[in-house]
Amino acid sequence: MWLALLMAFSLVTGTGPMDSALSATEAPKTLRAAFTVELESDRAKRVYAFDPRKTGAERWQVLDWQGEDDELEDVAANWAAEAAPDGRLFPDDLRASLGRSVQVDDRGHAWQISFRHTPSKNDGEFDVWAAERLQATAWLDPVGERFLRIDYTLPQPVAGPEGGRLTKYNQSYFLRTEPRWGMSYVSGFSVELEARAAFRKIERRYSATIVNAEFFFASAQAQRDFERGKAAKPTLMTGLDGPAR
């Protein structure tokens, strides 16, 4: 009982390992990424490559196409239509989403952080609706001071934002550390939902996995500015696959 009490505590997000982990998610706007992503559902698989250094149709290219799934096509089309598709790899609004303080459960290998998602300026209508209903959990490596994953789960069925009833919703983001500058990036995400509407059951399951990513700055000057700022800060040894900044 006493051990359990000692392992659970509240933490202000702007302090300690939490602050370092959040700083690693806040990549400068000048950091870009070329990547290959595998999108998969129960019925189809797509592999795409994006490179912001290319122009026109060459920026977002189809590498593999298996099966048929209109919803998966919509996911890919919406992603490709964004001005900077690589922006999804940088979770730069996580600090705002966590809020001022969180509840922490020290599980030994990682901290399990329970929080209520605070909508940020980047969130859409569904994000605001979901923030009031979903349980949010983050996993953090307190030694390496980096986030490992973020989970959103629906604890009980609720009325959907556009009618019907949402019976299941799970969404996870997986984070890794890029090896050169020590920034955290989203290496994959998964979505699973079930809903009932008009006497029918709706199910959706799909995932995205970044299988290859190359990070670079928009200009040589931007890289020099970042590296000068990094050199001015104390360094930290990390247990993950890249140096901390």
Side-chain angles (χ1 to χ4, degrees), residues 12 38 57 82 136 157 168 180 194 197-199 216-217 224:
V12 176
E38 293 181 351
E82 294 175 0
K168 177 188 290 187
R180 183 170 184 181
E194 292 181 1
F199 305 104
F216 49 87
F217 281 86
R224 286 193 292 269

Side-chain angles (χ1 to χ4, degrees), residues 59-241:
R59 296 180 81 229
W60 183 276
Q61 298 185 59
V62 179
L63 301 184
D64 191 19
W65 183 293
Q66 301 176 30
E68 296 297 331
D69 189 329
D70 291 341
E71 291 183 348
L72 196 65
E73 280 302 294
D74 289 341
V75 170
N78 291 334
W79 196 348
E82 294 175 0
D86 54 327
R88 293 199 189 190
L89 272 60
F90 304 112
D92 56 0
D93 61 347
L94 186 55
R95 188 184 295 271
S97 298
L98 286 169
R100 180 173 176 78
S101 64
V102 295
Q103 187 67 25
V104 177
D105 186 0
D106 187 346
R107 295 299 184 91
H109 68 288
W111 286 359
Q112 182 182 19
I113 301 166
S114 301
F115 66 99
R116 178 178 292 276
H117 180 95
T118 302
S120 70
K121 62 181 181 180
N122 294 328
D123 285 337
E125 292 183 7
F126 177 79
D127 300 297
V128 175
W129 177 88
E132 300 176 355
R133 296 163 176 84
L134 299 180
Q135 291 181 345
T137 305
W139 293 88
L140 183 147
D141 173 7
V143 177
E145 300 190 345
R146 291 294 185 270
F147 284 102
L148 305 175
R149 63 184 288 167
I150 312 291
D151 299 317
Y152 295 96
T153 303
L154 181 69
Q156 58 189 14
V158 297
E162 299 178 356
R165 190 166 183 80
L166 189 62
T167 57
K168 177 188 290 187
Y169 187 88
N170 298 309
Q171 184 169 4
S172 296
Y173 295 91
F174 307 94
L175 284 80
R176 297 187 64 183
T177 303
E178 59 81 20
R180 183 170 184 181
W181 293 287
M183 304 302 297
S184 293
Y185 72 96
V186 176
S187 62
F189 64 84
S190 63
V191 175
E192 177 184 17
L193 70 84
E194 292 181 1
R196 294 185 180 277
F199 305 104
R200 65 191 181 99
K201 183 178 181 180
I202 302 170
E203 294 181 294
R204 179 182 299 175
R205 295 179 180 84
Y206 66 86
S207 64
T209 303
I210 304 299
V211 295
N212 184 41
E214 177 190 359
F215 296 90
F216 49 87
F217 281 86
S219 68
Q221 183 59 51
Q223 180 176 328
R224 286 193 292 269
D225 291 343
F226 176 81
E227 290 178 333
R228 277 197 294 266
K230 179 181 176 182
K233 298 178 181 179
T235 58
L236 170 73
M237 295 301 293
T238 175
L240 298 181
D241 51 359

